[in-house]
Amino acid sequence: MTVSRTVCLGFLTVIVIGTILLMMPFSTSDGTWNDPIVALFTSTSAVCVTGLSVVDPGTYFSFWGQLFMTLLVQIGGLGYMTSTTFLILLIGRKFDLRQKVAIQQALDRPGMSGSAQVIRSIIATTLIFEITGIFLLLPAFVPKFGWNQGLWLSIFHSVNAWNNAGFSLFKDNLIGYQSSLLVVFTITMLIIFGGIGYQVILEMYFWLRDRILKKNHNRIFSLDFKVATSTTIILLVIGTIAFFCIEIRNPETFGYLNLRGQILVAWFQSVTPRTAGFNTIDIGKMTTAGLFITIALMFIGASPGGTGGGMKTTTLRVLTSCTKTILQGKEEVLLYDRKIAISLILKAVGVLVGSVATVILATILISLTDPTLDFIQILFEVVSAFATVGLSTGITASISTAAKLILILTMYIGRVGILLLMSAVLGDPRPTRIHYPEENLLVG
């Protein structure tokens, strides 16, 4: 079995196990057997760290059901290969060459050396950030809900925020905490660091360590670090300004808040489309322009190597750099004085074409199964599912069973990656030594 098929089947296996667990009577609050479609949709959404839900998790599922969702989100955020490799390391076994190759492809690493150390670093980073998030959220939840419920709410929301899943145990998600600086800061920081990529966090850590210890040597940041951080900052700033300017006159989202509340909501709304899925406003009441900006941010998504989905920030930068190169009349695509390989450019184009094709096909199919829905609502839901975001205009629970199955497949494709899935179906690509003559073609 090829590596790509191993990863894809691994995610399917976890989804099936999660579906069975969530169907059990002890997983629902009323103690009855769960609807298979609800269980399958919730399990897929959790494993794919999406956050879309056809029911209210806080009232529909029991503690055990919510615990299973949390575990599925954790496994999905870490990735199938990272989770299984960590279990292998725990029991003291060594993994073979195939597993090293799988880790390399799953984490998009340049080499296979040090795979075990990378897995340990990822697990440690995850635990540090999630535990920190739990302690920061305790003062917000414990005074109102008590220690037991407050602790569980802190654990659930910290794990979901770090893994860029949007499940919440509150009926209105986080709208009730839209003006809480503590909750907004904690959740957004977990989302940003969870989605920016483990490699970027480790480079940041080593840089801070050198500065604190006052080491003399200058650390050179990788191209991944520069592209991921700069693109993330640019998108966050542009998104915050755009939402503030567009929604400030909307009395149902921003208009009724004071300036401080409007800034907090605009900031949160700029962060959460980066595949997180939490919301502090009613998404269904946003303006069409606001919805479209959210769709664009969702489609771009987070950075490679993190817990988020989407087309990825690095893909966006490669494609925009290609456009810049053409406009300048140059022949080499450069990023921070580094030449981008043709193979990476082709991969970026493949990701874009595959992503757009998936979104278009899913949108058309749902438009046929649910013709009464507005186009913008369908497109929003599909992009949210494909980019594993979890934001919704409020139609998820009311769509037909066929549409739910389409969204399930879309979430799965978005999580495993369009290129990896195509490799699993068609087989891993093989290099060829055959070269064909060039010929000009009119383009644009």
Side-chain angles (χ1 to χ4, degrees):
M1 184 182 293
T2 63
V3 171
S4 55
R5 288 175 185 170
T6 301
V7 175
C8 291
L9 289 176
F11 273 105
L12 280 178
T13 302
V14 177
I15 290 172
V16 171
I17 294 173
T19 302
I20 295 172
L21 290 174
L22 292 176
M23 281 179 60
M24 296 298 174
F26 53 76
S27 292
T28 58
S29 56
D30 58 4
T32 60
W33 286 89
N34 195 1
D35 182 350
I37 296 297
V38 172
L40 175 61
F41 193 99
T42 306
S43 178
T44 305
S45 185
V47 174
C48 298
V49 290
T50 304
L52 284 175
S53 182
V54 293
V55 294
D56 175 24
T59 57
Y60 188 87
F61 290 103
S62 65
F63 168 77
W64 291 108
Q66 295 168 11
L67 179 62
F68 293 144
M69 289 175 61
T70 306
L71 294 175
L72 292 173
V73 166
Q74 189 71 81
I75 294 172
L78 289 172
Y80 167 73
M81 287 310 305
T82 302
S83 302
T84 53
T85 304
F86 178 64
L87 292 176
I88 291 173
L89 292 174
L90 278 181
I91 61 178
R93 287 180 53 192
K94 294 183 178 180
F95 43 89
D96 55 22
L97 179 62
R98 178 179 291 274
Q99 288 168 322
K100 290 182 180 180
V101 173
I103 294 169
Q104 176 197 7
Q105 291 192 5
L107 300 179
D108 201 15
R109 299 184 67 230
M112 292 182 290
S113 60
S115 297
Q117 185 60 39
V118 170
I119 297 299
R120 293 189 184 96
S121 299
I122 290 175
I123 299 297
T125 303
T126 298
L127 291 177
I128 290 171
F129 274 92
E130 288 181 350
I131 292 173
T132 302
I134 291 169
F135 278 105
L136 289 176
L137 290 174
L138 283 174
F141 297 145
V142 169
K144 183 176 180 180
F145 298 98
W147 267 106
N148 291 338
Q149 183 66 6
L151 176 60
W152 175 238
L153 288 171
S154 300
I155 294 172
F156 188 91
H157 288 87
S158 180
V159 172
N160 273 268
W162 169 257
N163 290 288
N164 277 220
F167 288 114
S168 175
L169 297 181
F170 301 115
K171 227 176 212 329
D172 60 353
N173 208 281
L174 294 179
I175 294 178
Y177 293 90
Q178 62 184 190
S179 298
S180 171
L181 184 61
L182 177 62
V183 173
V184 169
F185 171 80
T186 302
I187 296 296
T188 53
M189 288 301 103
L190 287 172
I191 292 170
I192 292 171
F193 281 103
I196 205 168
Y198 296 104
Q199 182 63 36
V200 172
I201 294 174
L202 290 177
E203 287 192 48
M204 198 178 301
Y205 162 75
F206 288 126
W207 179 80
L208 287 173
R209 186 193 64 180
D210 292 346
R211 294 295 295 268
I212 293 173
L213 297 178
K214 296 181 180 180
K215 292 186 176 181
N216 294 326
H217 66 274
N218 293 324
R219 182 171 294 276
I220 300 176
F221 290 113
S222 67
L223 185 60
D224 279 323
F225 180 93
K226 294 176 182 177
V227 172
T229 53
S230 61
T231 309
T232 297
I233 293 171
I234 291 171
L235 290 174
L236 290 176
V237 172
I238 292 176
T240 302
I241 296 173
F243 284 120
F244 183 84
C245 294
I246 290 174
E247 295 291 331
I248 192 170
R249 295 184 180 179
N250 186 344
E252 296 183 296
T253 55
F254 284 38
Y256 65 92
L257 298 168
N258 56 27
L259 180 61
R260 176 180 177 276
Q262 290 172 341
I263 293 174
L264 283 177
V265 169
W267 163 253
F268 195 95
Q269 190 56 34
S270 177
V271 173
T272 194
R274 311 302 305 288
T275 82
F278 289 108
N279 61 283
T280 54
I281 58 173
D282 188 343
I283 302 297
K285 294 179 179 177
M286 291 180 68
T287 61
T288 303
L291 289 175
F292 198 78
I293 291 174
T294 306
I295 289 173
L297 291 175
M298 289 193 300
F299 188 75
I300 294 170
S303 301
T307 58
M311 186 180 68
K312 307 298 187 188
T313 54
T314 49
T315 304
L316 174 68
R317 287 296 295 274
V318 169
L319 294 173
T320 53
S321 296
C322 288
T323 305
K324 180 182 177 181
T325 299
I326 293 297
L327 294 176
Q328 293 178 338
K330 298 179 180 179
E331 295 184 354
E332 292 184 346
V333 179
L334 301 178
L335 267 174
Y336 294 99
D337 299 325
R338 293 293 185 271
K339 179 181 176 181
I340 304 301
I342 294 297
S343 59
L344 289 180
I345 296 174
L346 294 177
K347 184 178 180 180
V349 173
V351 169
L352 175 64
V353 173
S355 301
V356 171
T358 302
V359 169
I360 290 176
L361 180 59
T363 303
I364 292 173
L365 292 176
I366 295 180
S367 298
L368 293 175
T369 59
D370 296 60
T372 58
L373 295 176
D374 292 338
F375 170 75
I376 190 70
Q377 290 180 314
I378 298 174
L379 180 63
F380 192 98
E381 202 82 6
V382 168
V383 174
S384 180
F386 175 76
T388 68
V389 180
L391 291 175
S392 174
T393 56
I395 66 171
T396 314
S398 59
I399 58 178
S400 64
T401 301
K404 290 173 184 174
L405 293 174
I406 294 169
L407 287 181
I408 288 171
L409 181 59
T410 305
M411 287 188 287
Y412 175 73
I413 294 173
R415 182 63 186 94
V416 300
I418 187 68
L419 296 184
L420 186 68
L421 183 62
M422 291 177 66
S423 295
V425 175
L426 303 176
D428 290 335
R430 297 179 180 178
T432 178
R433 297 183 181 224
I434 302 175
H435 299 280
Y436 296 92
E438 292 184 1
E439 186 171 347
N440 288 330
L441 178 68
L442 296 177
V443 176

